[in-house]
Amino acid sequence: MEDQINAAEKSTSISAEICQWSGAVFGILFGVGFFLVEVQKNDLKSLPWWKPISAFVAGAAVSAHGSNVVNNKRTAELTALLVRSTNSASELPITKSSEYSDLLEDSDNQ
């Protein structure tokens, strides 16, 4: 059971990993690219900062989406494992035990 829990906690999605890395890499590349292009055109005082900043923010959003997908997959795996373990525990045979009451010990009808 411990192995299944560890596997569920380490589960990943290839598309989510691609989303995380591409968001980070392309966000940085486009942000730096926009920054360098604008610096070459203008001086730093009149630089339109919205282009590089929006590229960084867009890359961060895509990367965060990939991270959310990974976390959702891990949560789904752990939930499925919990459901399976609960279902298998409910199918275990229950042994009938004789009922015991403290009231019988205290009464005169032993």
Side-chain angles (χ1 to χ4, degrees):
M1 184 60 121
E2 188 70 28
D3 294 335
Q4 292 176 344
I5 292 172
N6 289 337
E9 287 176 344
K10 294 178 183 176
S11 66
T12 59
S13 171
I14 293 172
S15 61
E17 293 290 329
I18 291 171
C19 195
Q20 280 181 315
W21 285 103
S22 66
V25 170
F26 288 118
I28 291 171
L29 288 178
F30 282 128
V32 170
F34 285 141
F35 180 74
L36 292 176
V37 167
E38 294 299 326
V39 165
Q40 289 176 355
K41 288 181 182 178
N42 303 325
D43 59 350
L44 287 176
K45 291 181 181 178
S46 64
L47 179 68
W49 288 99
W50 67 270
K51 288 181 183 179
I53 290 175
S54 63
F56 288 133
V57 169
V62 171
S63 184
H65 175 68
S67 179
N68 283 339
V69 169
V70 168
N71 289 334
N72 286 342
K73 181 170 182 170
R74 289 180 182 161
T75 301
E77 293 283 332
L78 288 169
T79 303
L81 185 61
L82 176 67
V83 168
R84 283 195 308 261
S85 66
T86 303
N87 286 341
S88 64
S90 66
E91 294 172 359
L92 292 174
I94 299 175
T95 58
K96 291 190 177 188
S97 61
S98 60
E99 292 187 27
Y100 178 79
S101 175
D102 289 338
L103 295 176
L104 291 177
E105 290 180 0
D106 296 334
S107 68
D108 292 333
N109 299 332
Q110 293 183 359

